[in-house]
Amino acid sequence: MTRTAPAHAATTLDRIKHSLVGLRMPRALEVLDATVRRIEQGEIDGIAALDEILMEELTLRENRRVKTALLVARLTTIKTLAGFDFTFQPSLDRERIMALAELTFIDRAEVVHLLGPPGTGKSHLATALAVEAVKARRSVVFSTLAELIASLAKAERDGALRERIRYLSRASLLVVDEIGYLPVVPGGGNLFFQLVNARYEKGAMILTSNRGFAEWGEVFGDPVVATALLDRLLHHAVVIQIERASYRLRQHGDLIPEHVRSKALITPPPVPRRRGRPPKKATLDHIPG
């Protein structure tokens, strides 16, 4: 018995749906009927329809991949470069930040330092660059310094420090946020140094800090450890100093007492004079390696 055209079409469509289920292509299955109707109405041809269905499925899978990768990287709060207000921070070179978003610094295993007072957008920029890296299929780990040292200290107690450092060294990009915000526990500086030393010239990093390099001896409670850290972290480095006011306080500046404003809770203090032998022009350009 000869099948009618509608029955044949329906059977073929059923087979396609069955195949999409077997191939685990839920988005393609979801848009199939609407796409077939567009073909029947002459809006698109078969090749264009196939292209649209596959693009829908690919987009869904890519979104899922990025979402999972962001969770693995511990990027629970998502920031983007498009959402950063460069007009409020005129000391920042927008083109320089956008150049970092091309991620070539990751290929060169460089360290990006974002320095400035609290609330000036350091964490926003670090997070946004990390998100760009995730989208580009780079492995990323994001952590505050306090959380990072706590995890290393736990691994040391458990006899698993080497494995923990090895895991953190595998990431293409390690972002360490909030250096200088909380006191480093005794021995924490040495643990951080071991990680930095393991990644030295092998993996890129982004560091944010509200303290100048000259203050790192105080931050880590050990000038010797701080010097060793800076020796590696400034060898192949990009240092960006943000010298403007706080985002979080910009709408409430008139409510802050004058004596508080004078202590730079809104306006940052002058950059402290550096001691030791920091590389020349570290705040402006790539530091030659």
Side-chain angles (χ1 to χ4, degrees):
M1 180 176 178
T2 304
R3 295 177 180 177
T4 62
H8 178 269
T11 301
T12 301
L13 193 59
D14 288 340
R15 284 203 306 271
I16 292 174
K17 290 180 178 179
H18 181 75
S19 296
L20 292 177
V21 171
L23 291 169
R24 298 182 180 180
M25 299 175 68
R27 182 57 182 166
L29 181 62
E30 183 179 345
V31 302
L32 178 62
D33 286 337
T35 305
V36 169
R37 284 195 296 271
R38 293 182 64 197
I39 294 175
E40 293 172 344
Q41 294 168 4
E43 296 181 14
I44 55 175
D45 60 21
I47 295 297
L50 180 61
D51 180 52
E52 287 192 8
I53 289 174
L54 293 178
M55 285 303 298
E56 287 280 350
E57 182 66 31
L58 184 61
T59 299
L60 175 66
R61 294 190 180 194
E62 180 63 10
N63 289 341
R64 286 178 173 175
R65 182 198 68 79
V66 170
K67 183 177 180 180
T68 299
L70 290 173
L71 290 175
V72 171
R74 303 186 67 207
L75 284 162
T76 53
T77 300
I78 306 304
K79 302 288 186 180
T80 65
L81 291 176
F84 189 84
D85 186 1
F86 284 94
T87 62
F88 190 72
Q89 300 294 12
S91 66
L92 274 176
D93 183 345
R94 185 181 186 280
E95 295 304 317
R96 192 178 185 202
I97 299 299
M98 299 311 293
L100 288 174
E102 296 176 4
L103 307 179
T104 54
F105 77 93
I106 295 180
D107 299 326
R108 295 190 293 263
E110 292 179 333
V111 180
V112 177
H113 296 267
L114 298 171
L115 307 178
T120 51
K122 302 182 300 299
S123 295
H124 185 138
L125 290 174
T127 301
L129 290 171
V131 169
E132 291 298 319
V134 167
K135 290 180 178 179
R137 297 181 176 271
R138 308 297 185 95
S139 55
V140 176
V141 174
F142 188 103
S143 177
T144 65
L145 178 64
E147 292 170 341
L148 182 63
I149 289 178
S151 74
L152 292 172
K154 182 179 185 303
E156 185 179 43
R157 291 193 300 270
D158 295 341
L161 180 60
R162 180 179 298 179
E163 290 75 12
R164 182 62 179 169
I165 290 178
R166 186 180 297 119
Y167 165 76
L168 292 170
S169 297
R170 284 199 298 265
S172 298
L173 175 63
L174 174 63
V175 182
V176 183
D177 197 21
E178 299 182 355
I179 295 176
Y181 284 74
L182 295 174
V184 174
V185 298
N190 182 270
L191 291 172
F192 185 50
F193 171 78
Q194 292 182 60
L195 173 59
V196 168
N197 193 49
R199 291 186 61 88
Y200 176 57
E201 295 189 323
K202 298 175 183 176
M205 298 178 68
I206 298 177
L207 309 179
T208 76
S209 180
N210 65 334
R211 308 285 289 274
F213 296 130
E215 300 176 84
W216 276 36
E218 177 185 346
V219 170
F220 287 95
D222 188 331
V224 175
V225 170
T227 299
L229 280 168
L230 291 172
D231 178 65
R232 287 153 179 78
L233 293 174
L234 289 175
H235 186 199
H236 306 288
V238 178
V239 183
I240 297 175
Q241 180 81 41
I242 306 176
E243 300 176 346
R244 291 288 291 182
S246 167
Y247 276 111
R248 290 190 285 270
L249 296 179
R250 59 180 171 173
Q251 296 179 342
H252 307 290
D254 58 335
L255 301 179
I256 306 298
E258 178 61 33
H259 73 281
V260 174
R261 289 201 297 271
S262 67
K263 292 183 179 180
L265 286 180
I266 297 178
T267 303
V271 179
R273 181 175 299 173
R274 293 177 179 174
R275 297 186 294 274
R277 296 183 295 116
K280 295 181 180 180
K281 299 184 179 179
T283 59
L284 296 178
D285 302 303
H286 285 69
I287 296 174

